[in-house]
Amino acid sequence: VLNEQGAFQQTGDVLDLAIEGQGLFTLIDADRPDSRLYTRDGSFTVNAGGVISNADGKLLMSALGAPITVPMTANTATSLDESETFSESRLTGIAIRTDGRIEATYGNKTTFFVGQVGLSMFVDANRLTPIGQNYLKENAKSGAGVLGAPIEEGRGKVHSGALEMSNIDMTSELTNLMRAQQAFSGSSRLLQTENEMTRKFTQ
């Protein structure tokens, strides 16, 4: 159930993101940019091109509806004897704030804002169509995803360094499964008895 919060598991990986509250991450396939997928699975990495993506290579969309690129290098300023020189520095760190803002640090602590994680909201997120692998697709009942910044317009916060666990209570699910199996077995026996009685009457 999408409107029930799952527990957080701390991972320590900056690009592991958990949503506290409403909203889903929006993903696109680079080959099919018009087809959006939605998920609360926030396990991301930076691919070889510097773009934030998941393990399947699907790209995370920003609050503005575009892929998020983290440059591997940046020109940083160094002051020496009242003069300023610029040099190319390598990426040394990434931080993601609760409002989804992504800050990249280069060289000697020079930090740039490089994008903002987007979250999508729906008329009824529980009506989204599951298509497997933690992916959901929008439909007429769920309404189209409205992408925006975390915290704004009812969207939740983003927590870096954690993943949201399943919100399913396994004990109650197993109990429900056993009840369903017992009900099915009982119905099967009743049906079998009825078939035997019908066969006797028709012989």
Side-chain angles (χ1 to χ4, degrees):
V1 181
L2 286 170
N3 60 6
E4 291 184 11
Q5 184 76 51
F8 289 174
Q9 179 180 9
Q10 301 298 320
T11 66
D13 190 327
V14 171
L15 288 170
D16 282 344
L17 305 178
I19 301 168
E20 179 190 351
Q22 299 298 307
L24 288 98
F25 299 114
T26 305
L27 306 170
I28 60 164
D29 194 320
D31 298 328
R32 298 168 61 199
D34 295 331
S35 179
R36 292 182 173 188
L37 297 174
Y38 303 95
T39 187
R40 282 182 73 102
D41 180 355
S43 181
F44 298 106
T45 58
V46 176
N47 68 18
V51 182
I52 297 178
S53 62
N54 70 2
D56 294 334
K58 293 180 173 48
L59 311 181
L60 176 65
M61 301 295 280
S62 74
L64 300 175
I68 304 166
T69 301
V70 180
M72 293 295 109
T73 60
N75 286 325
T76 58
T78 306
S79 296
L80 185 65
D81 297 332
E82 297 182 2
S83 64
E84 202 170 48
T85 59
F86 289 87
S87 59
E88 190 175 73
S89 299
R90 293 188 61 79
L91 176 71
T92 53
I94 298 174
I96 302 176
R97 308 303 175 193
T98 54
D99 64 356
R101 288 172 57 87
I102 304 167
E103 297 169 358
T105 303
Y106 297 87
N108 191 20
K109 298 184 179 178
T110 303
T111 300
F112 297 106
F113 166 72
V114 296
Q116 187 172 22
V117 174
L119 294 180
S120 285
M121 295 284 280
F122 299 85
V123 173
D124 188 353
N126 288 314
R127 296 292 190 95
L128 288 162
T129 306
I131 58 169
Q133 295 179 294
N134 289 329
Y135 296 137
L136 303 158
K137 290 195 85 166
E138 61 190 35
N139 55 53
K141 291 179 180 177
S142 70
V146 180
L147 193 57
I151 302 175
E152 291 181 2
E153 298 174 351
R155 293 177 181 84
K157 296 177 182 177
V158 170
H159 292 277
S160 175
L163 291 173
E164 185 180 6
M165 298 293 97
S166 173
N167 60 12
I168 293 172
D169 181 349
M170 287 303 293
T171 305
S172 64
E173 289 298 316
L174 286 169
T175 303
N176 290 337
L177 179 62
M178 286 190 291
R179 283 178 183 157
Q181 286 176 329
Q182 287 168 353
F184 176 75
S185 297
S187 299
S188 297
R189 283 194 295 272
L190 281 172
L191 190 60
Q192 188 177 4
T193 304
E194 188 180 338
N195 283 342
E196 287 173 359
M197 286 174 68
T198 305
R199 199 178 305 120
K200 284 177 183 175
F201 284 133
T202 54
Q203 282 176 350

